[in-house]
Amino acid sequence: MIEIQHASKTFEQRTGGGFTAIDDVTLTIGRGEFVSLLGPSGCGKSTLLNLVAGFERTTQGSVQVNGQPVTGPGPDRVVVFQEHALFPWLTVLENVAFGLKQKGVGKKERNERAMEQIRTVHLSKFADRYPHELSGGMKQRAAIARALAMDPDILLMDEPFAALDEQTRLILHKELEEIWMKTRKTILFITHNIREAVILSDRVLVMSTRPGRIKKEFAVKAARPRDAADSVLHHVEQAVMEALADELEKVVKEEMGDEYSIKKNDLSNRSADSLGGGI
């Protein structure tokens, strides 16, 4: 479904020269897979997602979707951002149906399709509400429904739950897993949260500090629907934490000098911690 071959991306700087966000990344994501990218801030996770979305072009290498080179955004790929980006002057139903309206779908059909996805995210009672009348979690559910209404092959999710409280995140984890199990969409998911990545994903890819590369891959072979108490998940979480800790230490040393280091044993064992967030 997604094939990235030796992809690099260098951004030009106003002061001259440039910086390389990702370097020589090769990655294949199969149809129906749920794959998460995890790594310190600035490691190129969002850059990689933007290359798949078609918002950016590679400096070197290639990105293909369904065997075709990605040359720009397309209806086969829809992005769900950290901010819900709902139109405040439209109701939930109108927001979810907006993309269908732009495609020229008739009002009756687009409202039926929009309501189907609104029911999927359990917002039926709020279809006529405006965004300011919704909680943060409800707004993000509406954004997911809007993406699903377009029936894309691929969902690209860029830290969609980062701004939500922990309880709301846990609810949305369950709902997203249910949606994925029902639709089998291919999902590329960006997060800083180890537990989130492990609970949701078939594979977790840990990226190195900039320039970003795929450092290590972890297969999550736990039964679905996932149970947070599953020992398999805890084992993977610990392994991911150890791989990520080395990258965090590199970031800290770069910013604060070699005198500062992270002691691995001092890292919290709470797997919900968002290691790398805010660095």
Side-chain angles (χ1 to χ4, degrees), residues 3 23 112 164 168 177 201 203 205 214 258 263 273:
E3 188 172 10
D23 181 49
E112 288 176 353
L164 304 178
T168 303
E177 184 181 33
S201 307
R203 285 188 291 151
L205 307 180
I214 303 298
D258 291 338
K263 295 180 180 179
D273 287 350

Side-chain angles (χ1 to χ4, degrees), residues 93-144:
L93 176 60
E94 291 167 337
N95 266 289
V96 174
F98 182 81
L100 298 173
K101 182 178 180 180
Q102 297 302 107
K103 289 179 65 176
V105 178
K107 184 175 181 179
K108 183 175 184 294
E109 181 183 350
R110 71 174 180 258
N111 284 350
E112 288 176 353
R113 289 170 61 177
M115 278 305 304
E116 180 183 356
Q117 300 308 330
I118 288 170
R119 285 190 290 270
T120 296
V121 298
H122 310 297
L123 284 179
S124 300
K125 294 181 179 179
F126 300 90
D128 62 347
R129 302 290 183 87
Y130 290 90
H132 73 272
E133 299 177 285
L134 306 177
S135 68
M138 293 164 72
K139 291 175 186 176
Q140 202 62 311
R141 278 193 265 167
I144 293 171

Side-chain angles (χ1 to χ4, degrees), residues 4 22-28 35-38 43 48 203-209 211-218:
I4 302 168
I22 62 170
D23 181 49
D24 196 25
V25 172
T26 294
L27 167 64
T28 300
V35 175
S36 287
L37 290 177
L38 193 67
C43 72
L48 196 55
R203 285 188 291 151
V204 178
L205 307 180
V206 174
M207 294 187 67
S208 65
T209 54
R213 301 179 179 90
I214 303 298
K215 176 183 179 179
K216 200 162 186 180
E217 174 182 319
F218 298 89

Side-chain angles (χ1 to χ4, degrees), residues 132-266:
H132 73 272
E133 299 177 285
L134 306 177
S135 68
M138 293 164 72
K139 291 175 186 176
Q140 202 62 311
R141 278 193 265 167
I144 293 171
R146 180 177 57 188
L148 292 171
M150 300 300 293
D151 195 24
D153 294 329
I154 298 169
L155 281 179
L156 303 170
M157 309 187 80
D158 195 356
E159 298 191 63
F161 308 142
L164 304 178
D165 64 85
E166 184 64 18
Q167 291 181 346
T168 303
R169 288 175 79 129
L170 293 176
I171 292 170
L172 291 182
H173 289 169
K174 287 292 185 185
E175 293 196 347
L176 180 58
E177 184 181 33
E178 288 175 4
I179 290 168
W180 177 81
M181 291 177 69
K182 176 183 176 182
T183 65
R184 293 295 175 171
K185 299 289 185 187
T186 303
I187 298 180
L188 179 58
F189 191 93
I190 307 298
T191 182
H192 277 115
N193 190 291
I194 296 174
R195 173 179 291 174
E196 182 170 79
V198 172
I199 284 182
L200 289 174
S201 307
D202 297 316
R203 285 188 291 151
V204 178
L205 307 180
V206 174
M207 294 187 67
S208 65
T209 54
R210 194 172 69 205
R213 301 179 179 90
I214 303 298
K215 176 183 179 179
K216 200 162 186 180
E217 174 182 319
F218 298 89
V220 187
K221 297 181 180 179
R224 291 188 185 271
R226 295 280 164 78
D227 180 352
D230 191 329
S231 61
V232 173
L233 298 181
H234 291 298
H235 176 76
V236 177
E237 286 169 12
Q238 188 62 41
V240 171
M241 187 179 296
E242 291 175 1
L244 188 56
D246 292 335
E247 299 308 313
L248 298 181
E249 186 165 6
K250 293 176 187 177
V251 174
V252 174
K253 282 185 175 181
E254 181 179 345
E255 294 186 357
M256 303 183 68
D258 291 338
E259 294 180 0
Y260 188 95
S261 65
I262 296 176
K263 295 180 180 179
K264 293 182 182 180
N265 292 337
D266 289 343

Side-chain angles (χ1 to χ4, degrees), residues 4 6-10 22 51 56-63:
I4 302 168
H6 303 291
S8 299
K9 178 63 179 178
T10 299
I22 62 170
L51 292 174
E56 300 282 354
R57 300 289 297 273
T58 58
T59 305
Q60 293 181 337
S62 65
V63 178

